[in-house]
Amino acid sequence: MEKNLEDIFQDKIDREIRIEPKDWMPEKYRQTLIRQISQHAHSEIVGMLPEGNWITRAPSLRRKSILLAKVQDEAGHGLYLYSAAETLGITRDEMYEQLHSGRAKYSSIFNYPTLSWADMGAIGWLVDGAAIMNQVPLCRASFGPYARAMVRVCKEESFHQRQGFEILLTLSRGNEAQKNMAQDALNRWWWPSIMMFGPTDDESPNTIQSMRWKIKRFTNDELRQKFVDICADQVKILGLTLPDKDLTWNETRGHYDFGPINWDEFWQVVSGNGPCNRDRLNARKKAWEDGAWVREAASAYAEKKKSEQKVA
Amino acid sequence: MNKEWPLWEIFIRSRQGLDHKHVGSLHAADAQMAIENARDVYTRRMEGVSIWVVESKHIHASNPTEAGELYDPANDKAYRHPTFYDLPDEVKHM
């Protein structure tokens, strides 16, 4: 019987029929999605922190309004994704608990510090650019609520990347110090950004199953290569360089070759030893704990109003 | 750990004249807060002119495993569609 259900399920996937929350699904499919969607949600929420750092110091009112809107979008994206994960049977509080206890991961890119204003440009262009590259295929993910959330996210995300590129473009056309600031930001953000696509295909054992279930549509290395190709061209418009001396166009492959990625660094950051891991988690925990009285007060107020209505 | 705020399903009318459409869900302590949060979460880019919120526990849904029996009465009733009827070409605009 079990086998039969699994065949029916895979057949639906193969025919591009979306899976909805109440449909039968293999337990591993459910668990894979819960892990992936909640990590994605956590990344949006933690991802507000490095940029929040610069809201009060944005160089103009225009830039401040834009950055505020972007950070607000990220809060929204986190909420879309948490809701999508909840349809699979995990509660919001369970997900928060997993984040706060360190059991759940989030994108390791957010464990790097934002040292200058140019970092807002580099994050928009590179970090959001890499995120979009990952997210666009997820709009066709086999699980309906996830795909629908991603459609919404992708629609909103494209201004994030454009505003980042515009920041870098402005700096690159500025004075020497501004240009150096932009270059310095690229030097620090480039490698962590291309690590965002995750381990290489031969180190990524779950990819095959995720592709069979049509959660993933492309492998990590495919997406990474696409991203490198696009950035290697766009950086020329900025008149800046990417910090990789091996970055060269390969005529036979039709792609840019790039240098070796420092996977030691990647795994160090993933396992909690990046420059800001502790700060980020502490900030989230503090926000959760400091907000406890607000949550309780709102619940108490709602209860009180309900009982008043019953009396009246 | 405290009790979670209840979950609400959010429906948005994107333009006057169109119907409300389900857009997602969120947590809120009461209906008023659900509407205010829905404004911030689902209409940041003028996606709506009206919001409905319904506590998720009040939604009753059909069971997908019974979809076959539930919808099969419609399967053999092609005569409910206008294309079922063969009319001469001279009959225009019908």
Side-chain angles (χ1 to χ4, degrees), chain A residues 238-262:
Chain A
L238 294 173
L240 301 170
T241 55
L242 296 172
D244 179 359
K245 60 178 174 31
D246 297 321
L247 187 73
T248 43
W249 177 252
N250 182 326
E251 193 65 51
T252 40
R253 285 205 313 129
H255 289 292
Y256 280 89
D257 289 336
F258 54 96
I261 292 170
N262 183 350

mmCIF file of all heavy atoms in Angstrom, chain A residues 238-262:
data_model
loop_
_atom_site.group_PDB
_atom_site.id
_atom_site.type_symbol
_atom_site.label_atom_id
_atom_site.label_comp_id
_atom_site.label_asym_id
_atom_site.label_seq_id
_atom_site.Cartn_x
_atom_site.Cartn_y
_atom_site.Cartn_z
ATOM 1 N N LEU A 238 30.659 48.402 -13.788
ATOM 2 C CA LEU A 238 31.026 49.147 -12.577
ATOM 3 C C LEU A 238 32.450 49.681 -12.656
ATOM 4 O O LEU A 238 32.836 50.535 -11.856
ATOM 5 C CB LEU A 238 30.898 48.240 -11.345
ATOM 6 C CG LEU A 238 29.492 47.763 -10.971
ATOM 7 C CD1 LEU A 238 29.568 46.743 -9.834
ATOM 8 C CD2 LEU A 238 28.618 48.938 -10.563
ATOM 9 N N GLY A 239 33.242 49.146 -13.599
ATOM 10 C CA GLY A 239 34.651 49.543 -13.647
ATOM 11 C C GLY A 239 35.412 49.039 -12.428
ATOM 12 O O GLY A 239 36.440 49.599 -12.049
ATOM 13 N N LEU A 240 34.892 47.988 -11.806
ATOM 14 C CA LEU A 240 35.565 47.394 -10.647
ATOM 15 C C LEU A 240 35.982 45.981 -11.027
ATOM 16 O O LEU A 240 35.731 45.539 -12.154
ATOM 17 C CB LEU A 240 34.621 47.377 -9.443
ATOM 18 C CG LEU A 240 34.090 48.738 -8.986
ATOM 19 C CD1 LEU A 240 32.985 48.570 -7.939
ATOM 20 C CD2 LEU A 240 35.219 49.604 -8.419
ATOM 21 N N THR A 241 36.617 45.270 -10.106
ATOM 22 C CA THR A 241 37.023 43.897 -10.415
ATOM 23 C C THR A 241 36.530 42.934 -9.344
ATOM 24 O O THR A 241 36.302 43.327 -8.198
ATOM 25 C CB THR A 241 38.564 43.760 -10.497
ATOM 26 O OG1 THR A 241 39.109 44.248 -9.267
ATOM 27 C CG2 THR A 241 39.128 44.521 -11.673
ATOM 28 N N LEU A 242 36.359 41.675 -9.741
ATOM 29 C CA LEU A 242 36.052 40.634 -8.775
ATOM 30 C C LEU A 242 37.380 40.047 -8.309
ATOM 31 O O LEU A 242 38.302 39.882 -9.116
ATOM 32 C CB LEU A 242 35.165 39.562 -9.420
ATOM 33 C CG LEU A 242 33.784 40.089 -9.840
ATOM 34 C CD1 LEU A 242 33.017 39.040 -10.642
ATOM 35 C CD2 LEU A 242 32.977 40.522 -8.622
ATOM 36 N N PRO A 243 37.497 39.749 -7.026
ATOM 37 C CA PRO A 243 38.798 39.356 -6.459
ATOM 38 C C PRO A 243 39.163 37.907 -6.774
ATOM 39 O O PRO A 243 39.267 37.094 -5.860
ATOM 40 C CB PRO A 243 38.592 39.574 -4.961
ATOM 41 C CG PRO A 243 37.129 39.304 -4.748
ATOM 42 C CD PRO A 243 36.438 39.794 -5.988
ATOM 43 N N ASP A 244 39.309 37.585 -8.048
ATOM 44 C CA ASP A 244 39.663 36.225 -8.427
ATOM 45 C C ASP A 244 40.561 36.304 -9.662
ATOM 46 O O ASP A 244 40.091 36.576 -10.766
ATOM 47 C CB ASP A 244 38.383 35.427 -8.734
ATOM 48 C CG ASP A 244 38.685 33.992 -9.167
ATOM 49 O OD1 ASP A 244 39.878 33.632 -9.251
ATOM 50 O OD2 ASP A 244 37.718 33.248 -9.429
ATOM 51 N N LYS A 245 41.864 36.046 -9.460
ATOM 52 C CA LYS A 245 42.809 36.189 -10.571
ATOM 53 C C LYS A 245 42.603 35.089 -11.624
ATOM 54 O O LYS A 245 43.058 35.204 -12.751
ATOM 55 C CB LYS A 245 44.263 36.202 -10.061
ATOM 56 C CG LYS A 245 44.663 34.941 -9.305
ATOM 57 C CD LYS A 245 46.107 34.986 -8.875
ATOM 58 C CE LYS A 245 46.501 33.804 -7.981
ATOM 59 N NZ LYS A 245 45.827 32.516 -8.165
ATOM 60 N N ASP A 246 41.895 34.029 -11.247
ATOM 61 C CA ASP A 246 41.658 32.938 -12.203
ATOM 62 C C ASP A 246 40.397 33.140 -13.030
ATOM 63 O O ASP A 246 40.045 32.286 -13.849
ATOM 64 C CB ASP A 246 41.536 31.596 -11.453
ATOM 65 C CG ASP A 246 42.818 31.242 -10.731
ATOM 66 O OD1 ASP A 246 43.897 31.492 -11.307
ATOM 67 O OD2 ASP A 246 42.746 30.742 -9.594
ATOM 68 N N LEU A 247 39.691 34.218 -12.789
ATOM 69 C CA LEU A 247 38.431 34.443 -13.496
ATOM 70 C C LEU A 247 38.712 34.806 -14.950
ATOM 71 O O LEU A 247 39.167 35.909 -15.239
ATOM 72 C CB LEU A 247 37.646 35.560 -12.795
ATOM 73 C CG LEU A 247 36.221 35.821 -13.290
ATOM 74 C CD1 LEU A 247 35.283 34.699 -12.852
ATOM 75 C CD2 LEU A 247 35.707 37.154 -12.740
ATOM 76 N N THR A 248 38.479 33.850 -15.848
ATOM 77 C CA THR A 248 38.720 34.105 -17.274
ATOM 78 C C THR A 248 37.660 33.422 -18.123
ATOM 79 O O THR A 248 37.129 32.370 -17.753
ATOM 80 C CB THR A 248 40.091 33.536 -17.739
ATOM 81 O OG1 THR A 248 40.254 32.235 -17.163
ATOM 82 C CG2 THR A 248 41.240 34.435 -17.359
ATOM 83 N N TRP A 249 37.371 34.027 -19.257
ATOM 84 C CA TRP A 249 36.390 33.460 -20.179
ATOM 85 C C TRP A 249 36.974 32.211 -20.829
ATOM 86 O O TRP A 249 38.096 32.209 -21.327
ATOM 87 C CB TRP A 249 36.016 34.483 -21.242
ATOM 88 C CG TRP A 249 35.057 33.923 -22.255
ATOM 89 C CD1 TRP A 249 35.328 33.607 -23.552
ATOM 90 C CD2 TRP A 249 33.685 33.597 -22.042
ATOM 91 N NE1 TRP A 249 34.209 33.109 -24.161
ATOM 92 C CE2 TRP A 249 33.178 33.085 -23.259
ATOM 93 C CE3 TRP A 249 32.827 33.679 -20.931
ATOM 94 C CZ2 TRP A 249 31.854 32.658 -23.402
ATOM 95 C CZ3 TRP A 249 31.515 33.255 -21.077
ATOM 96 C CH2 TRP A 249 31.035 32.755 -22.299
ATOM 97 N N ASN A 250 36.216 31.137 -20.807
ATOM 98 C CA ASN A 250 36.661 29.885 -21.411
ATOM 99 C C ASN A 250 35.822 29.646 -22.662
ATOM 100 O O ASN A 250 34.646 29.296 -22.577
ATOM 101 C CB ASN A 250 36.488 28.736 -20.399
ATOM 102 C CG ASN A 250 36.979 27.408 -20.935
ATOM 103 O OD1 ASN A 250 36.870 27.130 -22.137
ATOM 104 N ND2 ASN A 250 37.510 26.572 -20.054
ATOM 105 N N GLU A 251 36.465 29.848 -23.809
ATOM 106 C CA GLU A 251 35.748 29.796 -25.084
ATOM 107 C C GLU A 251 35.110 28.417 -25.328
ATOM 108 O O GLU A 251 33.960 28.319 -25.757
ATOM 109 C CB GLU A 251 36.740 30.125 -26.216
ATOM 110 C CG GLU A 251 36.101 30.412 -27.561
ATOM 111 C CD GLU A 251 35.242 31.677 -27.560
ATOM 112 O OE1 GLU A 251 35.762 32.739 -27.108
ATOM 113 O OE2 GLU A 251 34.069 31.607 -27.972
ATOM 114 N N THR A 252 35.853 27.358 -24.995
ATOM 115 C CA THR A 252 35.336 26.013 -25.287
ATOM 116 C C THR A 252 34.149 25.659 -24.390
ATOM 117 O O THR A 252 33.202 25.020 -24.843
ATOM 118 C CB THR A 252 36.433 24.934 -25.126
ATOM 119 O OG1 THR A 252 37.222 25.257 -23.983
ATOM 120 C CG2 THR A 252 37.310 24.852 -26.357
ATOM 121 N N ARG A 253 34.213 26.069 -23.122
ATOM 122 C CA ARG A 253 33.095 25.759 -22.215
ATOM 123 C C ARG A 253 31.928 26.725 -22.416
ATOM 124 O O ARG A 253 30.796 26.437 -22.034
ATOM 125 C CB ARG A 253 33.546 25.863 -20.746
ATOM 126 C CG ARG A 253 34.409 24.701 -20.271
ATOM 127 C CD ARG A 253 34.319 24.509 -18.738
ATOM 128 N NE ARG A 253 34.457 25.735 -17.973
ATOM 129 C CZ ARG A 253 33.592 26.122 -17.030
ATOM 130 N NH1 ARG A 253 32.537 25.402 -16.752
ATOM 131 N NH2 ARG A 253 33.801 27.241 -16.358
ATOM 132 N N GLY A 254 32.248 27.905 -22.948
ATOM 133 C CA GLY A 254 31.214 28.931 -23.054
ATOM 134 C C GLY A 254 30.844 29.513 -21.699
ATOM 135 O O GLY A 254 29.735 30.019 -21.498
ATOM 136 N N HIS A 255 31.779 29.417 -20.765
ATOM 137 C CA HIS A 255 31.552 29.938 -19.415
ATOM 138 C C HIS A 255 32.838 30.581 -18.900
ATOM 139 O O HIS A 255 33.908 30.363 -19.450
ATOM 140 C CB HIS A 255 31.191 28.797 -18.448
ATOM 141 C CG HIS A 255 29.833 28.211 -18.682
ATOM 142 N ND1 HIS A 255 28.671 28.897 -18.447
ATOM 143 C CD2 HIS A 255 29.455 26.979 -19.117
ATOM 144 C CE1 HIS A 255 27.632 28.121 -18.733
ATOM 145 N NE2 HIS A 255 28.083 26.956 -19.161
ATOM 146 N N TYR A 256 32.695 31.339 -17.809
ATOM 147 C CA TYR A 256 33.887 31.836 -17.126
ATOM 148 C C TYR A 256 34.440 30.734 -16.223
ATOM 149 O O TYR A 256 33.687 30.072 -15.497
ATOM 150 C CB TYR A 256 33.558 33.053 -16.264
ATOM 151 C CG TYR A 256 33.467 34.347 -17.049
ATOM 152 C CD1 TYR A 256 32.270 34.771 -17.616
ATOM 153 C CD2 TYR A 256 34.606 35.145 -17.220
ATOM 154 C CE1 TYR A 256 32.194 35.957 -18.337
ATOM 155 C CE2 TYR A 256 34.538 36.332 -17.950
ATOM 156 C CZ TYR A 256 33.339 36.727 -18.501
ATOM 157 O OH TYR A 256 33.266 37.890 -19.210
ATOM 158 N N ASP A 257 35.748 30.543 -16.292
ATOM 159 C CA ASP A 257 36.410 29.705 -15.284
ATOM 160 C C ASP A 257 36.637 30.567 -14.048
ATOM 161 O O ASP A 257 36.820 31.773 -14.164
ATOM 162 C CB ASP A 257 37.776 29.226 -15.804
ATOM 163 C CG ASP A 257 37.622 28.184 -16.920
ATOM 164 O OD1 ASP A 257 36.568 27.520 -16.963
ATOM 165 O OD2 ASP A 257 38.560 28.058 -17.741
ATOM 166 N N PHE A 258 36.611 29.941 -12.895
ATOM 167 C CA PHE A 258 36.930 30.701 -11.679
ATOM 168 C C PHE A 258 37.782 29.877 -10.738
ATOM 169 O O PHE A 258 37.867 28.653 -10.862
ATOM 170 C CB PHE A 258 35.666 31.232 -10.994
ATOM 171 C CG PHE A 258 34.617 30.182 -10.694
ATOM 172 C CD1 PHE A 258 34.552 29.580 -9.446
ATOM 173 C CD2 PHE A 258 33.685 29.823 -11.657
ATOM 174 C CE1 PHE A 258 33.581 28.627 -9.162
ATOM 175 C CE2 PHE A 258 32.707 28.867 -11.391
ATOM 176 C CZ PHE A 258 32.661 28.267 -10.146
ATOM 177 N N GLY A 259 38.437 30.586 -9.803
ATOM 178 C CA GLY A 259 39.415 29.952 -8.920
ATOM 179 C C GLY A 259 38.762 29.078 -7.863
ATOM 180 O O GLY A 259 37.537 29.034 -7.739
ATOM 181 N N PRO A 260 39.596 28.342 -7.104
ATOM 182 C CA PRO A 260 39.079 27.422 -6.085
ATOM 183 C C PRO A 260 38.400 28.169 -4.932
ATOM 184 O O PRO A 260 38.850 29.229 -4.512
ATOM 185 C CB PRO A 260 40.332 26.679 -5.609
ATOM 186 C CG PRO A 260 41.486 27.558 -5.966
ATOM 187 C CD PRO A 260 41.067 28.350 -7.175
ATOM 188 N N ILE A 261 37.312 27.587 -4.471
ATOM 189 C CA ILE A 261 36.560 28.164 -3.350
ATOM 190 C C ILE A 261 37.133 27.626 -2.044
ATOM 191 O O ILE A 261 37.478 26.444 -1.945
ATOM 192 C CB ILE A 261 35.066 27.801 -3.488
ATOM 193 C CG1 ILE A 261 34.481 28.534 -4.711
ATOM 194 C CG2 ILE A 261 34.295 28.128 -2.225
ATOM 195 C CD1 ILE A 261 33.095 28.061 -5.092
ATOM 196 N N ASN A 262 37.237 28.495 -1.067
ATOM 197 C CA ASN A 262 37.768 28.093 0.230
ATOM 198 C C ASN A 262 36.670 27.420 1.056
ATOM 199 O O ASN A 262 35.990 28.063 1.853
ATOM 200 C CB ASN A 262 38.311 29.337 0.955
ATOM 201 C CG ASN A 262 38.950 28.983 2.283
ATOM 202 O OD1 ASN A 262 38.831 27.844 2.771
ATOM 203 N ND2 ASN A 262 39.618 29.949 2.883
#
